[in-house]
Amino acid sequence: ADRQADIPKTIIPNAELRHQPFALTSIQQAYFVGREQSAKQLGGVSTHLYYEVTWDHLDLARFESSFQRVIERHDMLRAVMTPRAEQVVLDNIKPYQIKRYDLSNLHGADLAESIRIIRASRSHEKFDATQWPLFRVEVIHTAKNDILLFSFDCLIIDMYSLHTLMREWYE
């Protein structure tokens, strides 16, 4: 059968159903099932994107405010999964606060070790897919610069979407 024929030419949003549970995509299903199958070989692992950006001097209040506007604009940044393997966009959420680690009093090996510990705790992160948010944005403040840490669960974002989000955020 021609699967292309089944794909609608135009997608029309239905605002009345915006906050109702809806089906996962096939890739989301694979990610969701795989993360819950800890007894299976290669299971029990979350697929997520993690990266860092270094800034000379970050205006955290302005950056946080800008990110809040991006969260409000993009429904999937307010999405969670249901126990029935569906997704739902939450209607009311608390404002997101970017966590700040103040390491400005540390230098040399002590600073490097503290940063290493924070990074290690994020590199294999597994979010609870039923709890908001399915991302984490943090900043490590040092005497020299600020390091932004980004961790996004791939249930809600892919590389193309991340590029779009970052472009909008920085504008």
Short mmCIF file of all heavy atoms in Angstrom, two decimals, residues 24-74:
data_model
loop_
_atom_site.label_atom_id
_atom_site.label_comp_id
_atom_site.label_asym_id
_atom_site.label_seq_id
_atom_site.Cartn_x
_atom_site.Cartn_y
_atom_site.Cartn_z
N LEU A 24 1.84 8.70 20.43
CA LEU A 24 3.27 8.93 20.21
C LEU A 24 3.60 8.63 18.75
O LEU A 24 2.92 7.83 18.10
CB LEU A 24 4.10 7.99 21.09
CG LEU A 24 3.91 8.08 22.60
CD1 LEU A 24 4.75 7.01 23.29
CD2 LEU A 24 4.29 9.45 23.11
N THR A 25 4.64 9.26 18.24
CA THR A 25 5.15 8.89 16.92
C THR A 25 5.86 7.55 17.06
O THR A 25 6.14 7.08 18.17
CB THR A 25 6.14 9.94 16.39
OG1 THR A 25 7.31 9.94 17.22
CG2 THR A 25 5.50 11.33 16.33
N SER A 26 6.21 6.93 15.96
CA SER A 26 6.88 5.62 16.02
C SER A 26 8.24 5.73 16.72
O SER A 26 8.61 4.83 17.49
CB SER A 26 7.02 5.01 14.63
OG SER A 26 7.72 5.88 13.77
N ILE A 27 8.97 6.80 16.50
CA ILE A 27 10.27 6.94 17.17
C ILE A 27 10.08 7.20 18.66
O ILE A 27 10.82 6.67 19.50
CB ILE A 27 11.17 8.00 16.50
CG1 ILE A 27 12.62 7.90 16.99
CG2 ILE A 27 10.66 9.40 16.75
CD1 ILE A 27 13.36 6.73 16.46
N GLN A 28 9.07 7.98 19.03
CA GLN A 28 8.78 8.19 20.45
C GLN A 28 8.39 6.87 21.11
O GLN A 28 8.79 6.61 22.25
CB GLN A 28 7.64 9.20 20.63
CG GLN A 28 8.03 10.63 20.36
CD GLN A 28 6.82 11.54 20.45
OE1 GLN A 28 5.78 11.27 19.84
NE2 GLN A 28 6.93 12.61 21.21
N GLN A 29 7.62 6.03 20.42
CA GLN A 29 7.25 4.73 20.97
C GLN A 29 8.48 3.89 21.25
O GLN A 29 8.59 3.27 22.31
CB GLN A 29 6.32 3.98 20.01
CG GLN A 29 4.94 4.55 19.93
CD GLN A 29 4.09 3.86 18.86
OE1 GLN A 29 4.58 3.00 18.12
NE2 GLN A 29 2.83 4.25 18.78
N ALA A 30 9.41 3.88 20.31
CA ALA A 30 10.64 3.11 20.50
C ALA A 30 11.44 3.64 21.69
O ALA A 30 11.92 2.86 22.52
CB ALA A 30 11.49 3.16 19.23
N TYR A 31 11.58 4.95 21.80
CA TYR A 31 12.30 5.55 22.94
C TYR A 31 11.59 5.24 24.25
O TYR A 31 12.22 4.91 25.25
CB TYR A 31 12.41 7.07 22.78
CG TYR A 31 13.32 7.55 21.68
CD1 TYR A 31 13.22 8.85 21.21
CD2 TYR A 31 14.28 6.74 21.10
CE1 TYR A 31 14.04 9.32 20.21
CE2 TYR A 31 15.11 7.20 20.09
CZ TYR A 31 14.98 8.50 19.66
OH TYR A 31 15.80 8.96 18.66
N PHE A 32 10.27 5.36 24.27
CA PHE A 32 9.49 5.17 25.49
C PHE A 32 9.56 3.72 25.96
O PHE A 32 9.80 3.44 27.13
CB PHE A 32 8.04 5.60 25.26
CG PHE A 32 7.22 5.65 26.51
CD1 PHE A 32 7.41 6.65 27.45
CD2 PHE A 32 6.24 4.70 26.76
CE1 PHE A 32 6.65 6.71 28.61
CE2 PHE A 32 5.47 4.74 27.91
CZ PHE A 32 5.67 5.75 28.84
N VAL A 33 9.34 2.79 25.05
CA VAL A 33 9.39 1.37 25.40
C VAL A 33 10.80 0.97 25.82
O VAL A 33 10.99 0.29 26.83
CB VAL A 33 8.89 0.49 24.23
CG1 VAL A 33 9.16 -0.98 24.49
CG2 VAL A 33 7.41 0.72 24.00
N GLY A 34 11.79 1.41 25.08
CA GLY A 34 13.18 1.06 25.40
C GLY A 34 13.62 1.53 26.77
O GLY A 34 14.29 0.81 27.51
N ARG A 35 13.24 2.72 27.16
CA ARG A 35 13.65 3.26 28.45
C ARG A 35 13.00 2.52 29.60
O ARG A 35 13.52 2.48 30.70
CB ARG A 35 13.36 4.75 28.52
CG ARG A 35 11.89 5.05 28.73
CD ARG A 35 11.45 6.48 28.57
NE ARG A 35 12.08 7.40 29.46
CZ ARG A 35 12.60 8.57 29.10
NH1 ARG A 35 12.52 8.97 27.87
NH2 ARG A 35 13.16 9.35 29.97
N GLU A 36 11.82 1.93 29.36
CA GLU A 36 11.10 1.23 30.42
C GLU A 36 11.48 -0.25 30.50
O GLU A 36 11.08 -0.92 31.44
CB GLU A 36 9.58 1.37 30.20
CG GLU A 36 9.10 2.82 30.15
CD GLU A 36 9.48 3.64 31.36
OE1 GLU A 36 9.43 3.11 32.49
OE2 GLU A 36 9.85 4.82 31.18
N GLN A 37 12.22 -0.75 29.53
CA GLN A 37 12.58 -2.17 29.48
C GLN A 37 13.95 -2.42 30.08
O GLN A 37 14.85 -2.92 29.41
CB GLN A 37 12.54 -2.65 28.02
CG GLN A 37 11.19 -2.53 27.35
CD GLN A 37 10.20 -3.53 27.89
OE1 GLN A 37 10.56 -4.64 28.24
NE2 GLN A 37 8.95 -3.13 27.97
N SER A 38 14.13 -2.12 31.36
CA SER A 38 15.45 -2.26 31.97
C SER A 38 15.92 -3.71 32.05
O SER A 38 17.11 -3.98 32.17
CB SER A 38 15.47 -1.61 33.36
OG SER A 38 14.49 -2.20 34.18
N ALA A 39 15.00 -4.67 31.99
CA ALA A 39 15.38 -6.08 32.03
C ALA A 39 15.92 -6.57 30.70
O ALA A 39 16.56 -7.61 30.63
CB ALA A 39 14.19 -6.93 32.46
N LYS A 40 15.69 -5.83 29.63
CA LYS A 40 16.15 -6.22 28.30
C LYS A 40 17.55 -5.69 28.04
O LYS A 40 17.94 -4.64 28.53
CB LYS A 40 15.22 -5.64 27.22
CG LYS A 40 13.78 -6.04 27.36
CD LYS A 40 13.53 -7.34 26.68
CE LYS A 40 12.03 -7.62 26.72
NZ LYS A 40 11.72 -8.93 26.30
N GLN A 41 18.33 -6.44 27.24
CA GLN A 41 19.64 -5.98 26.86
C GLN A 41 19.50 -4.66 26.10
O GLN A 41 18.64 -4.54 25.23
CB GLN A 41 20.34 -7.02 25.99
CG GLN A 41 21.77 -6.65 25.66
CD GLN A 41 22.45 -7.72 24.82
OE1 GLN A 41 21.82 -8.59 24.26
NE2 GLN A 41 23.76 -7.65 24.77
N LEU A 42 20.28 -3.68 26.44
CA LEU A 42 20.27 -2.34 25.88
C LEU A 42 19.04 -1.53 26.27
O LEU A 42 18.84 -0.43 25.78
CB LEU A 42 20.40 -2.36 24.34
CG LEU A 42 21.63 -3.05 23.77
CD1 LEU A 42 21.58 -3.03 22.25
CD2 LEU A 42 22.91 -2.43 24.28
N GLY A 43 18.21 -2.03 27.17
CA GLY A 43 17.03 -1.31 27.62
C GLY A 43 17.33 -0.51 28.88
O GLY A 43 18.42 -0.56 29.44
N GLY A 44 16.32 0.24 29.32
CA GLY A 44 16.45 1.02 30.55
C GLY A 44 17.30 2.27 30.41
O GLY A 44 17.74 2.85 31.40
N VAL A 45 17.53 2.68 29.17
CA VAL A 45 18.37 3.85 28.91
C VAL A 45 17.52 4.90 28.21
O VAL A 45 16.73 4.60 27.33
CB VAL A 45 19.57 3.47 28.02
CG1 VAL A 45 20.40 4.69 27.68
CG2 VAL A 45 20.43 2.41 28.70
N SER A 46 17.71 6.13 28.61
CA SER A 46 17.00 7.24 27.99
C SER A 46 17.80 7.80 26.82
O SER A 46 19.02 7.88 26.89
CB SER A 46 16.78 8.33 29.03
OG SER A 46 16.28 9.48 28.44
N THR A 47 17.11 8.18 25.78
CA THR A 47 17.75 8.88 24.67
C THR A 47 17.58 10.36 24.92
O THR A 47 16.47 10.85 25.03
CB THR A 47 17.09 8.49 23.33
OG1 THR A 47 17.14 7.07 23.21
CG2 THR A 47 17.81 9.13 22.17
N HIS A 48 18.71 11.05 25.07
CA HIS A 48 18.61 12.49 25.30
C HIS A 48 19.78 13.22 24.67
O HIS A 48 20.79 12.62 24.32
CB HIS A 48 18.51 12.79 26.80
CG HIS A 48 19.78 12.74 27.56
ND1 HIS A 48 20.40 11.58 27.94
CD2 HIS A 48 20.57 13.74 28.02
CE1 HIS A 48 21.51 11.85 28.60
NE2 HIS A 48 21.63 13.16 28.66
N LEU A 49 19.57 14.52 24.49
CA LEU A 49 20.61 15.39 23.92
C LEU A 49 21.24 16.18 25.06
O LEU A 49 20.52 16.74 25.89
CB LEU A 49 20.00 16.37 22.92
CG LEU A 49 19.32 15.77 21.70
CD1 LEU A 49 18.51 16.84 20.98
CD2 LEU A 49 20.36 15.18 20.76
N TYR A 50 22.55 16.19 25.10
CA TYR A 50 23.25 16.97 26.12
C TYR A 50 24.36 17.75 25.45
O TYR A 50 25.10 17.21 24.63
CB TYR A 50 23.86 16.05 27.20
CG TYR A 50 24.72 16.81 28.17
CD1 TYR A 50 24.15 17.52 29.22
CD2 TYR A 50 26.11 16.86 28.02
CE1 TYR A 50 24.94 18.25 30.10
CE2 TYR A 50 26.90 17.58 28.89
CZ TYR A 50 26.31 18.28 29.93
OH TYR A 50 27.08 19.01 30.80
N TYR A 51 24.46 19.03 25.77
CA TYR A 51 25.58 19.81 25.29
C TYR A 51 25.78 21.02 26.18
O TYR A 51 24.97 21.33 27.04
CB TYR A 51 25.43 20.19 23.81
CG TYR A 51 24.41 21.26 23.52
CD1 TYR A 51 24.80 22.57 23.32
CD2 TYR A 51 23.06 20.96 23.44
CE1 TYR A 51 23.87 23.56 23.04
CE2 TYR A 51 22.13 21.93 23.15
CZ TYR A 51 22.55 23.23 22.96
OH TYR A 51 21.63 24.20 22.69
N GLU A 52 26.89 21.69 25.95
CA GLU A 52 27.27 22.85 26.76
C GLU A 52 27.66 24.02 25.86
O GLU A 52 28.16 23.82 24.76
CB GLU A 52 28.47 22.51 27.65
CG GLU A 52 28.22 21.40 28.61
CD GLU A 52 29.45 21.03 29.44
OE1 GLU A 52 30.48 21.75 29.35
OE2 GLU A 52 29.37 20.04 30.17
N VAL A 53 27.45 25.23 26.39
CA VAL A 53 27.87 26.45 25.73
C VAL A 53 28.53 27.32 26.78
O VAL A 53 28.00 27.47 27.89
CB VAL A 53 26.68 27.22 25.10
CG1 VAL A 53 27.13 28.52 24.48
CG2 VAL A 53 25.95 26.34 24.10
N THR A 54 29.68 27.91 26.45
CA THR A 54 30.39 28.77 27.39
C THR A 54 30.18 30.24 27.00
O THR A 54 30.28 30.59 25.82
CB THR A 54 31.89 28.44 27.40
OG1 THR A 54 32.04 27.06 27.76
CG2 THR A 54 32.64 29.29 28.39
N TRP A 55 29.88 31.07 27.99
CA TRP A 55 29.68 32.50 27.80
C TRP A 55 30.65 33.26 28.69
O TRP A 55 30.96 32.81 29.80
CB TRP A 55 28.26 32.90 28.23
CG TRP A 55 27.18 32.41 27.33
CD1 TRP A 55 26.76 31.12 27.19
CD2 TRP A 55 26.40 33.19 26.45
NE1 TRP A 55 25.75 31.06 26.28
CE2 TRP A 55 25.49 32.31 25.82
CE3 TRP A 55 26.35 34.55 26.15
CZ2 TRP A 55 24.57 32.76 24.89
CZ3 TRP A 55 25.42 34.98 25.23
CH2 TRP A 55 24.55 34.09 24.61
N ASP A 56 31.08 34.43 28.22
CA ASP A 56 31.94 35.27 29.05
C ASP A 56 31.18 35.77 30.27
O ASP A 56 31.61 35.58 31.40
CB ASP A 56 32.52 36.44 28.26
CG ASP A 56 33.56 36.00 27.25
OD1 ASP A 56 34.18 34.93 27.46
OD2 ASP A 56 33.73 36.69 26.24
N HIS A 57 30.07 36.44 30.04
CA HIS A 57 29.24 36.96 31.13
C HIS A 57 27.78 36.82 30.73
O HIS A 57 27.31 37.51 29.84
CB HIS A 57 29.56 38.44 31.40
CG HIS A 57 30.99 38.67 31.76
ND1 HIS A 57 31.52 38.31 32.97
CD2 HIS A 57 32.02 39.20 31.05
CE1 HIS A 57 32.81 38.61 33.00
NE2 HIS A 57 33.13 39.15 31.85
N LEU A 58 27.07 35.94 31.40
CA LEU A 58 25.69 35.66 31.06
C LEU A 58 24.75 36.48 31.95
O LEU A 58 24.90 36.50 33.17
CB LEU A 58 25.41 34.17 31.28
CG LEU A 58 23.98 33.69 31.03
CD1 LEU A 58 23.64 33.81 29.55
CD2 LEU A 58 23.83 32.26 31.50
N ASP A 59 23.80 37.13 31.34
CA ASP A 59 22.74 37.81 32.07
C ASP A 59 21.66 36.74 32.32
O ASP A 59 20.78 36.53 31.49
CB ASP A 59 22.19 38.98 31.25
CG ASP A 59 21.09 39.75 31.96
OD1 ASP A 59 20.50 39.23 32.95
OD2 ASP A 59 20.79 40.87 31.51
N LEU A 60 21.76 36.07 33.45
CA LEU A 60 20.92 34.91 33.72
C LEU A 60 19.43 35.27 33.76
O LEU A 60 18.60 34.55 33.22
CB LEU A 60 21.33 34.20 35.01
CG LEU A 60 20.59 32.91 35.33
CD1 LEU A 60 20.70 31.90 34.21
CD2 LEU A 60 21.10 32.33 36.63
N ALA A 61 19.08 36.39 34.37
CA ALA A 61 17.67 36.78 34.45
C ALA A 61 17.08 36.98 33.06
O ALA A 61 15.97 36.51 32.76
CB ALA A 61 17.53 38.05 35.29
N ARG A 62 17.80 37.64 32.20
CA ARG A 62 17.33 37.88 30.82
C ARG A 62 17.25 36.56 30.04
O ARG A 62 16.30 36.31 29.31
CB ARG A 62 18.27 38.86 30.13
CG ARG A 62 17.85 39.23 28.76
CD ARG A 62 18.73 40.32 28.19
NE ARG A 62 18.41 40.54 26.81
CZ ARG A 62 19.29 40.82 25.88
NH1 ARG A 62 20.55 40.96 26.18
NH2 ARG A 62 18.92 40.99 24.63
N PHE A 63 18.24 35.72 30.22
CA PHE A 63 18.31 34.44 29.54
C PHE A 63 17.14 33.55 29.99
O PHE A 63 16.48 32.90 29.18
CB PHE A 63 19.66 33.78 29.86
CG PHE A 63 20.02 32.68 28.93
CD1 PHE A 63 20.34 32.93 27.61
CD2 PHE A 63 20.07 31.37 29.38
CE1 PHE A 63 20.70 31.91 26.75
CE2 PHE A 63 20.42 30.35 28.53
CZ PHE A 63 20.73 30.61 27.22
N GLU A 64 16.88 33.53 31.28
CA GLU A 64 15.79 32.73 31.83
C GLU A 64 14.43 33.22 31.32
O GLU A 64 13.57 32.43 30.95
CB GLU A 64 15.85 32.78 33.36
CG GLU A 64 14.95 31.80 34.06
CD GLU A 64 15.23 31.79 35.54
OE1 GLU A 64 14.98 32.82 36.21
OE2 GLU A 64 15.72 30.76 36.04
N SER A 65 14.25 34.52 31.28
CA SER A 65 13.02 35.12 30.77
C SER A 65 12.81 34.75 29.30
O SER A 65 11.70 34.40 28.87
CB SER A 65 13.06 36.64 30.94
OG SER A 65 11.97 37.24 30.33
N SER A 66 13.87 34.81 28.53
CA SER A 66 13.81 34.45 27.11
C SER A 66 13.44 32.97 26.94
O SER A 66 12.62 32.62 26.09
CB SER A 66 15.16 34.74 26.46
OG SER A 66 15.17 34.31 25.13
N PHE A 67 14.02 32.12 27.76
CA PHE A 67 13.71 30.69 27.67
C PHE A 67 12.26 30.43 28.04
O PHE A 67 11.60 29.57 27.44
CB PHE A 67 14.66 29.87 28.55
CG PHE A 67 14.51 28.39 28.37
CD1 PHE A 67 14.65 27.81 27.12
CD2 PHE A 67 14.23 27.57 29.44
CE1 PHE A 67 14.50 26.44 26.94
CE2 PHE A 67 14.08 26.21 29.27
CZ PHE A 67 14.22 25.64 28.02
N GLN A 68 11.73 31.15 29.01
CA GLN A 68 10.33 30.99 29.39
C GLN A 68 9.40 31.29 28.21
O GLN A 68 8.42 30.60 27.99
CB GLN A 68 9.99 31.88 30.59
CG GLN A 68 8.62 31.63 31.17
CD GLN A 68 8.49 30.21 31.70
OE1 GLN A 68 9.38 29.67 32.35
NE2 GLN A 68 7.36 29.57 31.42
N ARG A 69 9.74 32.31 27.44
CA ARG A 69 8.94 32.63 26.25
C ARG A 69 9.00 31.50 25.22
O ARG A 69 8.00 31.20 24.56
CB ARG A 69 9.39 33.96 25.64
CG ARG A 69 8.95 35.17 26.46
CD ARG A 69 9.15 36.48 25.73
NE ARG A 69 10.51 36.73 25.32
CZ ARG A 69 11.46 37.28 26.08
NH1 ARG A 69 11.19 37.64 27.31
NH2 ARG A 69 12.66 37.48 25.59
N VAL A 70 10.16 30.86 25.09
CA VAL A 70 10.30 29.73 24.17
C VAL A 70 9.44 28.56 24.66
O VAL A 70 8.77 27.89 23.86
CB VAL A 70 11.79 29.33 24.01
CG1 VAL A 70 11.93 28.03 23.25
CG2 VAL A 70 12.56 30.44 23.31
N ILE A 71 9.44 28.30 25.96
CA ILE A 71 8.60 27.23 26.53
C ILE A 71 7.13 27.50 26.23
O ILE A 71 6.38 26.60 25.86
CB ILE A 71 8.84 27.10 28.05
CG1 ILE A 71 10.24 26.58 28.34
CG2 ILE A 71 7.79 26.20 28.70
CD1 ILE A 71 10.64 26.65 29.81
N GLU A 72 6.72 28.74 26.40
CA GLU A 72 5.32 29.10 26.15
C GLU A 72 4.95 28.96 24.67
O GLU A 72 3.82 28.62 24.33
CB GLU A 72 5.06 30.53 26.63
CG GLU A 72 5.12 30.65 28.14
CD GLU A 72 5.22 32.08 28.64
OE1 GLU A 72 5.13 33.03 27.82
OE2 GLU A 72 5.40 32.26 29.86
N ARG A 73 5.91 29.19 23.79
CA ARG A 73 5.66 29.13 22.35
C ARG A 73 5.59 27.70 21.82
O ARG A 73 4.84 27.41 20.90
CB ARG A 73 6.76 29.90 21.63
CG ARG A 73 6.68 29.86 20.13
CD ARG A 73 7.78 30.72 19.51
NE ARG A 73 8.04 30.37 18.15
CZ ARG A 73 7.36 30.82 17.11
NH1 ARG A 73 6.35 31.63 17.30
NH2 ARG A 73 7.68 30.45 15.89
N HIS A 74 6.41 26.80 22.37
CA HIS A 74 6.53 25.44 21.84
C HIS A 74 5.87 24.42 22.76
O HIS A 74 6.39 24.11 23.84
CB HIS A 74 8.00 25.09 21.61
CG HIS A 74 8.63 25.92 20.54
ND1 HIS A 74 8.43 25.67 19.21
CD2 HIS A 74 9.43 27.01 20.62
CE1 HIS A 74 9.09 26.56 18.49
NE2 HIS A 74 9.70 27.39 19.32
#
